[in-house]
Coordinates of all heavy atoms in Angstrom, one line a residue:
L1 N 27.3 -151.0 -77.2 CA 28.7 -151.2 -76.7 C 29.7 -150.8 -77.8 O 30.7 -150.1 -77.5 CB 28.9 -152.6 -76.3 CG 28.3 -153.1 -75.0 CD1 28.4 -154.6 -74.8 CD2 28.8 -152.3 -73.8
A2 N 29.4 -151.1 -79.1 CA 30.3 -150.7 -80.2 C 30.3 -149.2 -80.4 O 31.4 -148.6 -80.6 CB 29.9 -151.5 -81.5
A3 N 29.1 -148.6 -80.3 CA 29.1 -147.1 -80.4 C 29.8 -146.5 -79.2 O 30.5 -145.5 -79.4 CB 27.6 -146.7 -80.4
F4 N 29.6 -147.0 -78.0 CA 30.3 -146.5 -76.9 C 31.8 -146.6 -77.0 O 32.6 -145.7 -76.7 CB 29.8 -147.2 -75.6 CG 30.3 -146.5 -74.3 CD1 29.9 -145.3 -74.0 CD2 31.2 -147.2 -73.5 CE1 30.4 -144.7 -72.8 CE2 31.7 -146.6 -72.4 CZ 31.3 -145.4 -72.0
A5 N 32.3 -147.8 -77.6 CA 33.7 -147.9 -77.8 C 34.2 -146.9 -78.8 O 35.3 -146.4 -78.6 CB 34.0 -149.4 -78.3
G6 N 33.5 -146.6 -79.9 CA 33.9 -145.6 -80.8 C 34.0 -144.3 -80.2 O 34.9 -143.5 -80.5
M7 N 33.1 -143.9 -79.3 CA 33.1 -142.7 -78.6 C 34.4 -142.6 -77.7 O 35.1 -141.6 -77.7 CB 31.9 -142.5 -77.8 CG 31.7 -141.1 -77.0 SD 32.5 -141.0 -75.4 CE 31.7 -142.3 -74.5
M8 N 34.7 -143.7 -77.1 CA 35.8 -143.8 -76.2 C 37.1 -143.7 -77.0 O 38.1 -143.0 -76.5 CB 35.8 -145.0 -75.3 CG 34.8 -145.0 -74.2 SD 34.9 -146.3 -73.0 CE 34.6 -147.7 -74.0
V9 N 37.2 -144.3 -78.2 CA 38.4 -144.1 -79.0 C 38.6 -142.7 -79.4 O 39.7 -142.2 -79.3 CB 38.3 -145.0 -80.3 CG1 39.3 -144.7 -81.3 CG2 38.4 -146.5 -79.9
A10 N 37.5 -142.0 -79.8 CA 37.7 -140.6 -80.1 C 38.1 -139.8 -78.9 O 39.0 -138.9 -79.0 CB 36.3 -140.1 -80.7
L11 N 37.5 -140.0 -77.8 CA 37.9 -139.3 -76.5 C 39.3 -139.6 -76.1 O 40.1 -138.7 -75.8 CB 36.9 -139.7 -75.4 CG 37.0 -138.9 -74.1 CD1 36.7 -137.5 -74.4 CD2 36.0 -139.5 -73.1
Q12 N 39.7 -140.9 -76.2 CA 41.1 -141.2 -75.9 C 42.1 -140.5 -76.8 O 43.1 -140.1 -76.4 CB 41.3 -142.7 -75.9 CG 42.7 -143.1 -75.5 CD 43.0 -144.6 -75.7 OE1 42.5 -145.2 -76.5 NE2 44.0 -145.1 -74.9
T13 N 41.7 -140.5 -78.1 CA 42.6 -139.8 -79.1 C 42.8 -138.4 -78.7 O 43.9 -137.9 -78.8 CB 41.9 -139.9 -80.5 OG1 41.7 -141.3 -80.8 CG2 42.7 -139.3 -81.5
I14 N 41.8 -137.7 -78.3 CA 41.9 -136.3 -77.9 C 42.8 -136.2 -76.6 O 43.7 -135.3 -76.5 CB 40.5 -135.6 -77.6 CG1 39.8 -135.5 -78.9 CG2 40.7 -134.3 -77.0 CD1 38.3 -135.3 -78.8
F15 N 42.5 -137.0 -75.6 CA 43.4 -137.0 -74.4 C 44.8 -137.3 -74.7 O 45.7 -136.7 -74.2 CB 42.8 -138.1 -73.4 CG 41.6 -137.6 -72.6 CD1 40.7 -136.7 -73.1 CD2 41.4 -138.1 -71.4 CE1 39.6 -136.3 -72.4 CE2 40.3 -137.7 -70.6 CZ 39.4 -136.8 -71.2
N16 N 45.0 -138.3 -75.6 CA 46.4 -138.7 -76.0 C 47.1 -137.5 -76.6 O 48.3 -137.3 -76.4 CB 46.4 -139.9 -76.9 CG 46.0 -141.2 -76.2 OD1 45.8 -141.2 -75.0 ND2 45.9 -142.2 -77.0
N17 N 46.4 -136.8 -77.5 CA 46.9 -135.7 -78.2 C 47.4 -134.6 -77.2 O 48.4 -134.0 -77.3 CB 46.0 -135.1 -79.2 CG 46.5 -133.9 -79.9 OD1 46.1 -132.8 -79.7 ND2 47.4 -134.1 -80.9
R18 N 46.5 -134.3 -76.2 CA 46.8 -133.3 -75.2 C 48.0 -133.7 -74.4 O 48.8 -132.9 -74.0 CB 45.6 -133.0 -74.3 CG 44.4 -132.4 -75.1 CD 44.6 -131.0 -75.6 NE 45.4 -131.0 -76.8 CZ 46.1 -130.0 -77.3 NH1 46.2 -128.9 -76.6 NH2 46.8 -130.1 -78.4
T19 N 48.1 -135.0 -74.0 CA 49.2 -135.5 -73.2 C 50.5 -135.4 -74.0 O 51.5 -135.0 -73.5 CB 48.9 -137.0 -72.8 OG1 47.7 -137.0 -72.1 CG2 50.0 -137.5 -71.9
D20 N 50.4 -135.7 -75.3 CA 51.6 -135.7 -76.2 C 52.2 -134.3 -76.3 O 53.4 -134.2 -76.3 CB 51.2 -136.2 -77.6 CG 52.3 -136.1 -78.6 OD1 53.3 -136.8 -78.3 OD2 52.2 -135.4 -79.6
V21 N 51.3 -133.3 -76.2 CA 51.8 -131.9 -76.3 C 52.8 -131.6 -75.1 O 53.8 -130.9 -75.2 CB 50.7 -130.9 -76.3 CG1 51.1 -129.5 -76.0 CG2 49.9 -131.0 -77.6
H22 N 52.5 -132.2 -73.9 CA 53.2 -132.0 -72.7 C 54.4 -133.0 -72.5 O 55.3 -132.6 -71.8 CB 52.3 -132.0 -71.5 CG 51.3 -130.9 -71.6 ND1 51.6 -129.6 -71.3 CD2 50.0 -130.9 -71.9 CE1 50.5 -128.9 -71.5 NE2 49.5 -129.7 -71.8
M23 N 54.2 -134.2 -73.0 CA 55.2 -135.3 -72.7 C 56.0 -135.8 -73.8 O 57.0 -136.4 -73.6 CB 54.4 -136.5 -72.0 CG 53.7 -136.1 -70.7 SD 52.8 -137.6 -70.1 CE 54.2 -138.6 -69.5
G24 N 55.5 -135.7 -75.0 CA 56.1 -136.4 -76.2 C 55.4 -137.7 -76.5 O 54.7 -138.3 -75.7
S25 N 55.6 -138.2 -77.7 CA 54.8 -139.3 -78.2 C 55.1 -140.6 -77.5 O 54.2 -141.3 -77.1 CB 55.1 -139.5 -79.7 OG 54.8 -138.3 -80.4
W26 N 56.4 -140.9 -77.2 CA 56.7 -142.2 -76.6 C 56.3 -142.2 -75.1 O 55.9 -143.2 -74.6 CB 58.2 -142.6 -76.8 CG 58.4 -143.1 -78.2 CD1 59.0 -142.5 -79.2 CD2 57.9 -144.4 -78.7 NE1 58.9 -143.3 -80.3 CE2 58.2 -144.5 -80.0 CE3 57.2 -145.4 -78.1 CZ2 57.9 -145.5 -80.8 CZ3 56.9 -146.5 -79.0 CH2 57.3 -146.6 -80.3
A27 N 56.5 -141.0 -74.4 CA 56.1 -140.9 -73.0 C 54.6 -141.0 -72.9 O 54.1 -141.7 -72.0 CB 56.6 -139.6 -72.4
T28 N 53.9 -140.4 -73.9 CA 52.4 -140.5 -73.9 C 52.0 -142.0 -74.1 O 51.1 -142.5 -73.3 CB 51.8 -139.7 -75.0 OG1 52.1 -138.3 -74.8 CG2 50.3 -139.9 -75.2
T29 N 52.6 -142.7 -75.0 CA 52.3 -144.1 -75.2 C 52.6 -144.9 -74.0 O 51.7 -145.7 -73.6 CB 53.1 -144.6 -76.4 OG1 52.8 -143.9 -77.6 CG2 52.8 -146.1 -76.7
T30 N 53.7 -144.7 -73.3 CA 54.0 -145.4 -72.1 C 53.0 -145.1 -71.0 O 52.5 -146.1 -70.4 CB 55.4 -145.0 -71.6 OG1 56.4 -145.3 -72.6 CG2 55.8 -145.7 -70.3
W31 N 52.7 -143.9 -70.8 CA 51.7 -143.5 -69.8 C 50.3 -144.1 -70.0 O 49.7 -144.6 -69.1 CB 51.7 -142.0 -69.6 CG 50.8 -141.5 -68.5 CD1 49.7 -140.8 -68.6 CD2 51.1 -141.7 -67.1 NE1 49.2 -140.6 -67.4 CE2 50.0 -141.1 -66.4 CE3 52.1 -142.3 -66.4 CZ2 49.9 -141.1 -65.0 CZ3 52.0 -142.3 -65.0 CH2 50.9 -141.7 -64.4
V32 N 49.9 -143.9 -71.3 CA 48.5 -144.4 -71.6 C 48.4 -145.9 -71.4 O 47.5 -146.4 -70.8 CB 48.2 -144.1 -73.1 CG1 47.0 -144.9 -73.7 CG2 48.0 -142.6 -73.3
L33 N 49.4 -146.7 -71.9 CA 49.4 -148.1 -71.7 C 49.6 -148.6 -70.3 O 49.0 -149.6 -69.8 CB 50.4 -148.8 -72.7 CG 50.0 -148.6 -74.2 CD1 51.1 -149.2 -75.1 CD2 48.7 -149.2 -74.5
F34 N 50.4 -147.8 -69.5 CA 50.6 -148.2 -68.1 C 49.2 -148.0 -67.4 O 48.8 -148.8 -66.6 CB 51.7 -147.3 -67.5 CG 51.8 -147.5 -66.0 CD1 52.3 -148.7 -65.5 CD2 51.3 -146.5 -65.1 CE1 52.4 -148.9 -64.1 CE2 51.4 -146.7 -63.8 CZ 51.9 -147.9 -63.2
M35 N 48.6 -146.8 -67.6 CA 47.3 -146.6 -66.9 C 46.3 -147.6 -67.4 O 45.5 -148.0 -66.5 CB 46.8 -145.1 -67.3 CG 47.7 -144.0 -66.7 SD 47.8 -144.1 -64.9 CE 46.1 -143.7 -64.4
G36 N 46.3 -148.0 -68.6 CA 45.4 -149.0 -69.1 C 45.7 -150.4 -68.4 O 44.8 -151.1 -68.1
F37 N 47.0 -150.7 -68.2 CA 47.3 -151.9 -67.5 C 46.8 -151.9 -66.1 O 46.2 -152.9 -65.7 CB 48.9 -152.0 -67.5 CG 49.3 -153.1 -66.6 CD1 49.2 -154.5 -67.0 CD2 49.9 -152.8 -65.4 CE1 49.6 -155.5 -66.1 CE2 50.3 -153.8 -64.5 CZ 50.2 -155.1 -64.9
V38 N 47.0 -150.8 -65.4 CA 46.6 -150.7 -64.0 C 45.1 -150.9 -63.9 O 44.5 -151.6 -63.1 CB 47.1 -149.4 -63.3 CG1 46.4 -149.2 -62.0 CG2 48.6 -149.4 -63.2
A39 N 44.3 -150.1 -64.8 CA 42.9 -150.2 -64.7 C 42.3 -151.6 -65.1 O 41.4 -152.1 -64.5 CB 42.3 -149.1 -65.7
S40 N 42.9 -152.1 -66.2 CA 42.4 -153.5 -66.6 C 42.8 -154.6 -65.6 O 42.0 -155.5 -65.4 CB 42.9 -153.8 -68.0 OG 44.3 -153.9 -68.1
L41 N 44.0 -154.5 -65.0 CA 44.3 -155.4 -64.0 C 43.4 -155.4 -62.8 O 42.9 -156.4 -62.3 CB 45.8 -155.2 -63.5 CG 46.3 -156.2 -62.4 CD1 46.3 -157.6 -62.9 CD2 47.6 -155.8 -62.0
A42 N 43.1 -154.2 -62.4 CA 42.1 -154.0 -61.2 C 40.8 -154.6 -61.6 O 40.2 -155.3 -60.8 CB 42.0 -152.5 -60.8

């Protein structure tokens, strides 16, 4: 589980970087945390 979490952190970092290129840093942070909220709530 810890190794999988590390892989997901690296993957999320890449996704966040690609999102940041299109949206900007604060919009990326908002979007990432909103999507995380929706997924974790469900």
Side-chain angles (χ1 to χ4, degrees):
L1 288 170
F4 188 68
M7 184 271 305
M8 288 191 296
V9 167
L11 189 60
Q12 182 188 26
T13 301
I14 293 166
F15 281 29
N16 291 354
N17 179 258
R18 297 291 79 207
T19 304
D20 179 59
V21 168
H22 298 284
M23 297 178 73
S25 300
W26 283 107
T28 295
T29 301
T30 302
W31 185 247
V32 164
L33 293 175
F34 174 73
M35 293 300 294
F37 168 76
V38 170
S40 62
L41 179 63

